[in-house]
């Protein structure tokens, strides 16, 4: 991981862990270096991390264990770095957003703010599964979840898909969702599905829709800046104190 620590920080300074995308099976933290540097410029401490890729033997539980080790490391060094030991924020894009959500909802009580950038939230939604299948991503979903069966439309939803769906585990943590309305990989319906679960639990949320944007979110002029500034604003608003 890469650690970014702002000057004059205290144990009230927001501290966010960022998780890169890549369909759980590829990718690298270097794709989010510019995001990390911007957050640092806004006075936010950042851990920009790598983690094990999902494969036939490494699944979501192992990915979450990797994230948990990161948080334990940050906590262990909090006195040395003069940083917080609880009340962290977490963010990610695409599969990294999914891992962020699952960690915040199922693995930790130390998360106080989430920014979800076009992450999948509901693997029980058959229209989304069809779309992932159409994008040849079901193998990645199976590696992430550990599911060994072949899902086809009309078949029951595998239990491991249910257990990998953030909508089933929502906690009362303020969340910003950023999604393109033309996303061909993770349809914006996934954010709306999460909103329904958030409403049931009275969770503070905001959905920022990028009109015309695809899964990259950065396709249109100004989107890249809006993405990182909105992320920083949310973390500063909910990740302090």
């Amino acid at each position: 991981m890469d650690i970014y620590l702002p000057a004059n920080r205290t144990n009230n300074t927001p501290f966010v862990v960022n998780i890169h995308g890549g369909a759980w099976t590829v990718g690298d933290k270097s794709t989010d270096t510019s995001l990390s540097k911007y957050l640092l410029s806004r006075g936010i401490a950042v851990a920009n991390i790598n983690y094990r890729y999902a494969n036939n033997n490494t699944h979501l539980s192992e990915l979450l264990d990797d994230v948990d080790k990161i948080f334990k490391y940050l906590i262990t060094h909090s006195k040395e770095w003069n940083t917080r030991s609880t009340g962290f924020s977490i963010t990610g894009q695409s599969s990294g957003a999914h891992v962020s959500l699952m960690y915040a909802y199922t693995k930790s009580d130390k998360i106080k703010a989430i920014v979800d950038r076009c992450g999948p939230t509901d693997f029980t939604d058959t229209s989304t599964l069809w779309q992932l299948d159409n994008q040849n991503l079901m193998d990645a979903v199976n590696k992430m979840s550990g599911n060994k069966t072949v899902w086809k439309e009309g078949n029951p939803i595998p239990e491991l898909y249910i257990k990998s769906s953030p909508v089933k585990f929502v906690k009362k943590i303020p969340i910003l969702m950023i999604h393109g309305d033309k996303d061909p990989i993770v349809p914006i319906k996934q954010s709306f599905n999460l909103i329904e679960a958030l409403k049931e639990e009275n969770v503070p949320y905001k959905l920022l829709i990028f009109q015309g944007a695809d899964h990259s979110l950065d396709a249109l002029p100004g989107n890249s800046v809006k993405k990182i500034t909105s992320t920083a604003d949310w973390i500063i608003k909910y990740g302090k104190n």
Side-chain angles (χ1 to χ4, degrees):
M1 62 180 166
D2 298 326
I3 300 291
Y4 300 79
L5 299 177
N8 303 315
R9 59 191 176 273
T10 70
N11 57 11
N12 286 326
T13 298
F15 203 147
V16 63
V17 169
N18 178 71
I19 306 178
H20 69 77
W24 306 280
T25 58
V26 295
D28 186 80
K29 59 185 172 60
S30 60
T31 58
D32 287 328
T33 296
S34 60
L35 169 66
S36 301
K37 289 182 176 179
Y38 176 77
L39 295 176
L40 175 68
S41 76
R42 294 286 302 275
I44 300 169
V46 184
N48 188 30
I49 74 168
N50 280 337
Y51 48 93
R52 281 176 287 179
Y53 297 145
N55 56 42
N56 291 331
N57 300 306
T58 302
H59 309 303
L60 179 60
S61 60
E62 283 78 25
L63 274 60
L64 295 177
D65 284 344
D66 287 352
V67 178
D68 199 47
K69 289 175 183 176
I70 295 291
F71 277 100
K72 288 177 179 175
Y73 185 87
L74 301 182
I75 292 167
T76 298
H77 287 77
S78 60
K79 288 185 179 180
E80 174 189 348
W81 294 346
N82 195 28
T83 52
R84 64 175 58 241
S85 59
T86 191
F88 293 93
S89 302
I90 196 166
T91 185
Q93 186 151 329
S94 189
S95 59
H98 168 259
V99 174
S100 297
L101 288 165
M102 288 300 294
Y103 183 81
Y105 291 159
T106 69
K107 289 284 287 187
S108 177
D109 60 357
K110 294 181 171 59
I111 307 301
K112 64 185 304 181
I114 304 170
V115 180
D116 157 24
R117 308 190 305 276
C118 61
T121 67
D122 186 3
F123 295 107
T124 71
D125 185 286
T126 55
S127 63
T128 296
L129 294 178
W130 177 87
Q131 194 156 336
L132 290 167
D133 192 27
N134 192 50
Q135 296 286 338
N136 298 312
L137 287 170
M138 289 306 292
D139 182 60
V141 171
N142 286 329
K143 287 178 177 177
M144 175 277 294
S145 64
N147 178 61
K148 304 297 184 184
T149 62
V150 176
W151 178 85
K152 292 296 181 184
E153 191 169 2
N155 292 348
I157 300 296
E159 182 67 22
L160 287 169
Y161 287 5
I162 299 171
K163 292 181 177 179
S164 302
S165 296
V167 294
K168 303 298 183 181
F169 306 99
V170 164
K171 284 183 181 177
K172 202 164 186 176
I173 305 170
I175 177 171
L176 169 67
M177 293 158 281
I178 306 174
H179 218 127
D181 67 350
K182 302 299 183 185
D183 192 328
I185 296 174
V186 179
I188 195 169
K189 183 182 180 184
Q190 287 283 288
S191 284
F192 291 128
N193 287 5
L194 181 57
I195 285 173
E196 291 305 309
L198 296 170
K199 286 180 176 177
E200 289 183 8
E201 301 297 327
N202 295 313
V203 181
Y205 74 87
K206 179 179 180 180
L207 173 61
L208 184 59
I209 299 175
F210 283 7
Q211 301 291 335
D214 59 15
H215 193 58
S216 73
L217 291 174
D218 298 331
L220 300 180
N223 278 3
S224 180
V225 171
K226 189 176 182 181
K227 177 181 71 177
I228 63 176
T229 56
S230 299
T231 297
D233 291 344
W234 194 264
I235 292 169
I236 290 170
K237 181 176 181 179
Y238 290 103
K240 275 189 172 183
N241 305 326

